[in-house]
Amino acid sequence: MGTKPQITNLEHAKADSICQRRRFDDRVNINSIMDSVTDAIILIDQDGVISFVNQQVKDLFGYEQDELIGRKIEMLLPELFQHRHVDQRKDYSANPSIRQMGISTDFFACRKDSTEFSCEIGLNPLETADGKFVVCTVHDISKRKYCEDALSENERKLNEQYTELKSIYSTSPVGMCLMDTDLRFLKCNEKLAKINGIPAADHIGRTLREIVPEIADKMESVYHKVIETGEPIIDVEASITAGDDSHKKRVFSACYYPIKSVDGVIQGVSSIVQEITQRKEAEESLQRLHKQLEMRVQERTKELTEANVKLRNEITERKKIGEELHIAEDEASMHRERLAHLIRVQTLGEMATGIAHEINQPLAAIESYAQASQMHLQSGKANPDKVEELLEKISGQAKRAGSVVSRLRTMMQHRTVNPVVVDINSLLSEVTNIAEIDARHHDCRLILKLSSSLPNVIGDEIQIQQVVLNLICNAIDAMADLTDEGEKEVIVETKRKDDKEIEISVTDNGPGISELDAGNIFEAFYTTKDSGMGMGLSICRSIIDAHGGEISYSQNKAGGTTFYFTLPVEKQTG
Ligand code: ADP
């Protein structure tokens, strides 16, 4: 009888393990292992043909397995690298080894949608019964790359900022320092070192009290406040005494900013210090000037107010004088009127002989007509028609004498000035009726040369007549010594001078006016005549002035004088 060989415990255990492994193999095949790894795995043969891809390849590149199996690996590379890769792959096949790519240099793969991404590639040669293969693991590092790039950009910016900060500190025209929370200097620029009069390096690690004892109390409280509140404090003014002989007060303005860590904890305080001594001095002198200016303005205002009061008083005073002047003018005009009247009366008085003669003539005629009537009636053969004829003649002569008297009465009247619209030609005809009496009496011819269609003037008729009468009487007087028959001639002429004025002139053949008299004839009481009063021309001038005209004279080339005056024409309305 043969004995059955005994199975040891060790053999049992071994058999169990093999069984377990088989059961495990049944449940988990190689493909599911490949799909469970995080990297994309691609198996290619010696010619670069893809023979296997795991699930991650699909996810990463966007291709289905069918689209990749049997195709060349280059399809997963950007077009730019595909050609070169064929050679590189061949080199690798000649000398296969485990290799990592994309670590020191950037390596790019291309997705189905043509987008590219950075990746790291692992190459592992694999020999199987079916031939030589290469296992490629593709690890997408685009996110990591992005982070790395952002990090290096941040680092670059940080470096830049640090360099900038350093240069700001060194070149800043204002003092800058950095204090820790114990109020010791961590940093101090040259400008602040200069302000404090202590080298920048000697500030480091020292306290405010050691560097600026004069203002340490004030500064410390400001720093503490910034540290406590975490808020900046700006424009704090402080003054220190200059270290030099001047002992001048130097004024500074400073700003304090808390320096916080990322989590908001105060790490220190940065401050900017600027000297404002000059600005302060300028402000103070500006204030002084402003005060001075205000004082000047106040003084000036006072002066002006006083001047104003003075001016007001003066104005009141002047108004009074004005008013008084008006009264005086009214009085003067009244006197002028009276004087003009007197002169008229005097002139007419001078003409009395001629006038008496003029009235005598009709009176004599009346007398003779009356006598003739009486004789006719006494004859007993009185014819009523004849008597009526004689009576009519008497009446005519009486009218003639009456008209002379009425003209005289008008001229003799004393009345106030009465400006009216005057037709100057008819006015002259009227006045020459009286003047003619005097002219005739002196064997003198009175000639009128009146321009037709003259515009009217505004004036006082009697005063204008008086002027003309005066000039005619003077002309007759001037020719008193002429003896030749027909030589005595007075021409009264009117003409339009221009748009605004008419001119009336009286010309004689007299001896003219001597140089001696020339400047005086218009003066009151200047006369060269024995019985003259010297008021005629003076009153003529004041009458013509009051009418807005001018009176003057000229010596005639052929001898004699022409007196002329102008009067403004009536303004046409509408
Ligand atoms: P009166 O006739 O009383 O002398 P006027 O004032 O009228 O006063 O004249 C002043 C003077 O002007 C006259 O005395 C005379 O010397 C001079 N005069 C005036 N008109 C003429 C004239 N036509 N020719 C020469 N002298 C004249």
Side-chain angles (χ1 to χ4, degrees):
M1 230 169 103
T3 53
K4 219 177 165 188
Q6 285 282 307
I7 300 168
T8 65
N9 283 345
L10 187 64
E11 282 169 331
H12 270 295
K14 215 173 170 181
D16 273 357
S17 161
I18 290 164
C19 271
Q20 272 177 10
R21 174 72 188 266
R22 273 197 192 127
R23 278 202 302 274
F24 177 79
D25 283 351
D26 287 344
R27 283 199 313 271
V28 185
N29 66 26
I30 190 74
N31 282 0
S32 58
I33 293 172
M34 290 297 208
D35 288 344
S36 70
V37 295
T38 51
D39 283 346
I41 296 172
I42 304 164
L43 194 66
I44 55 169
D45 66 12
Q46 290 252 292
D47 299 323
V49 175
I50 300 168
S51 52
F52 170 83
V53 292
N54 71 349
Q55 180 61 33
Q56 275 64 33
V57 174
K58 238 172 90 182
D59 296 344
L60 190 58
F61 287 90
Y63 287 105
E64 290 301 324
Q65 249 177 349
D66 307 352
E67 294 176 287
L68 293 169
I69 305 296
R71 306 276 304 275
K72 292 271 181 150
I73 186 69
E74 278 75 27
M75 73 179 283
L76 298 178
L77 296 177
E79 213 177 325
L80 189 69
F81 303 116
Q82 285 177 4
H83 189 69
R84 206 174 352 143
H85 188 260
V86 176
D87 294 337
Q88 287 167 342
R89 181 162 50 73
K90 280 179 185 160
D91 289 349
Y92 181 81
S93 295
N95 188 16
S97 63
I98 295 174
R99 249 186 242 177
Q100 281 289 330
M101 286 155 63
I103 293 173
S104 54
T105 53
D106 286 346
F107 197 92
F108 292 94
C110 182
R111 295 189 186 93
K112 186 181 178 182
D113 62 7
S114 299
T115 54
E116 296 174 10
F117 60 94
S118 302
C119 55
E120 279 175 7
I121 309 286
L123 298 177
N124 288 285
L126 180 71
E127 275 195 47
T128 67
D130 296 330
K132 288 182 179 177
F133 291 89
V134 179
V135 179
C136 308
T137 54
V138 183
H139 183 62
D140 180 359
I141 58 164
S142 52
K143 278 190 188 140
R144 196 184 79 204
K145 270 268 171 204
Y146 175 78
C147 291
E148 277 172 4
D149 288 350
L151 214 63
S152 69
E153 177 61 16
N154 272 351
E155 208 170 311
R156 192 188 58 75
K157 277 188 186 159
L158 220 62
N159 272 335
E160 242 177 50
Q161 280 173 4
Y162 182 68
T163 320
E164 232 171 72
L165 203 70
K166 257 171 81 177
S167 92
I168 289 172
Y169 252 73
S170 60
T171 60
S172 166
V174 294
M176 294 174 84
C177 69
L178 189 63
M179 307 291 283
D180 65 15
T181 46
D182 295 331
L183 305 192
R184 284 179 187 280
F185 283 87
L186 286 173
K187 220 166 167 19
C188 164
N189 75 346
E190 282 306 322
K191 183 72 190 178
L192 188 63
K194 215 169 170 190
I195 291 171
N196 291 340
I198 296 168
D202 291 357
H203 280 67
I204 311 305
R206 289 169 76 181
T207 62
L208 270 173
R209 204 158 285 280
E210 289 171 288
I211 302 293
V212 277
E214 197 180 345
I215 50 168
D217 280 344
K218 185 173 181 177
M219 295 296 101
E220 275 177 5
S221 75
V222 176
Y223 273 105
H224 282 313
K225 202 164 175 194
V226 175
I227 293 165
E228 271 166 31
T229 61
E231 294 295 326
I233 296 180
I234 56 167
D235 287 340
V236 178
E237 277 186 25
S239 54
I240 55 172
T241 317
D244 55 20
D245 291 344
S246 72
H247 298 297
K248 219 173 104 182
K249 280 272 170 205
R250 296 178 67 188
V251 190
F252 297 90
S253 169
C255 301
Y256 304 85
Y257 302 93
I259 304 292
K260 296 177 187 173
S261 62
V262 185
D263 47 5
V265 179
I266 309 275
Q267 303 292 312
V269 178
S270 161
S271 50
I272 296 170
V273 185
Q274 194 175 10
E275 178 157 12
I276 54 165
T277 312
Q278 279 186 349
R279 197 182 83 197
K280 274 274 157 192
E281 282 172 1
E283 271 174 16
E284 277 166 16
S285 67
L286 209 68
Q287 257 174 9
R288 269 200 306 278
L289 279 176
H290 186 73
K291 270 189 188 150
Q292 280 176 8
L293 202 73
E294 260 183 359
M295 261 167 64
R296 290 283 298 280
V297 169
Q298 276 174 9
E299 280 170 17
R300 205 68 199 106
T301 312
K302 202 175 149 209
E303 278 172 25
L304 277 172
T305 317
E306 283 168 9
N308 236 354
V309 172
K310 220 169 146 190
L311 212 68
R312 268 177 214 279
N313 290 342
E314 256 176 44
I315 289 171
T316 318
E317 194 65 21
R318 268 168 199 240
K319 264 190 187 165
K320 222 168 113 190
I321 293 170
E323 282 161 18
E324 282 170 4
L325 211 68
H326 273 304
I327 296 168
E329 265 174 15
D330 287 349
E331 275 177 11
S333 137
M334 205 171 73
H335 287 309
R336 191 169 52 238
E337 273 169 33
R338 278 195 193 147
L339 194 64
H341 176 242
L342 278 176
I343 304 294
R344 276 202 307 277
V345 173
Q346 197 226 4
T347 312
L348 294 168
E350 279 167 9
M351 291 163 65
T353 327
I355 292 166
H357 178 73
E358 186 73 9
I359 295 172
N360 256 348
Q361 274 186 342
L363 286 181
I366 287 170
E367 192 184 5
S368 60
Y369 288 134
Q371 280 172 1
S373 306
Q374 202 176 17
M375 279 165 64
H376 186 68
L377 285 171
Q378 282 169 356
S379 68
K381 300 173 204 167
N383 179 351
D385 289 345
K386 180 74 180 170
V387 173
E388 197 176 330
E389 184 196 319
L390 287 167
L391 283 176
E392 259 176 30
K393 283 185 176 166
I394 289 170
S395 161
Q397 290 301 324
K399 273 185 193 154
R400 186 179 151 198
S403 78
V404 175
V405 171
S406 100
R407 275 192 209 111
L408 277 175
R409 195 187 289 140
T410 313
M411 288 291 286
M412 296 282 235
Q413 264 177 30
H414 177 233
R415 53 164 189 74
T416 50
V417 174
N418 179 27
V420 290
V421 176
V422 178
D423 169 6
I424 205 75
N425 283 345
S426 12
L427 180 140
L428 288 183
S429 306
E430 184 77 16
V431 77
T432 47
N433 274 330
I434 294 176
E436 221 166 14
I437 299 169
D438 198 43
R440 257 201 312 277
H441 184 66
H442 289 92
D443 299 324
C444 187
R445 247 177 2 121
L446 192 61
I447 302 163
L448 277 183
K449 291 186 179 175
L450 304 180
S451 161
S452 59
S453 65
L454 273 186
N456 289 332
V457 296
I458 301 285
D460 182 273
E461 283 182 304
I462 294 198
Q463 287 202 344
I464 298 170
Q465 280 179 351
Q466 180 173 355
V467 173
V468 179
L469 195 63
N470 266 341
L471 297 181
I472 295 173
C473 287
N474 277 349
I476 294 169
D477 285 350
M479 296 185 292
D481 295 337
L482 301 188
T483 47
D484 290 355
E485 198 171 325
E487 209 184 353
K488 293 183 182 180
E489 213 173 64
V490 179
I491 302 168
V492 178
E493 200 173 347
T494 58
K495 67 173 181 187
R496 186 169 187 150
K497 193 183 171 201
D498 53 37
D499 282 357
K500 292 176 183 160
E501 289 178 315
I502 60 165
E503 187 180 272
I504 301 105
S505 61
V506 178
T507 306
D508 62 58
N509 294 323
I513 293 161
S514 73
E515 267 184 44
L516 186 73
D517 300 330
N520 302 313
I521 56 169
F522 285 100
E523 297 298 321
F525 305 114
Y526 188 85
T527 181
T528 56
K529 300 170 194 170
D530 293 339
S531 58
M533 219 167 69
M535 285 303 293
L537 289 179
S538 145
I539 205 77
C540 286
R541 171 168 276 181
S542 71
I543 288 172
I544 297 304
D545 281 352
H547 279 77
E550 274 178 21
I551 182 165
S552 188
Y553 74 92
S554 64
Q555 309 271 33
N556 298 331
K557 277 184 191 155
T561 314
T562 299
F563 275 83
Y564 48 88
F565 63 90
T566 58
L567 288 171
V569 300
E570 183 195 14
K571 279 194 187 110
Q572 295 298 318
T573 50

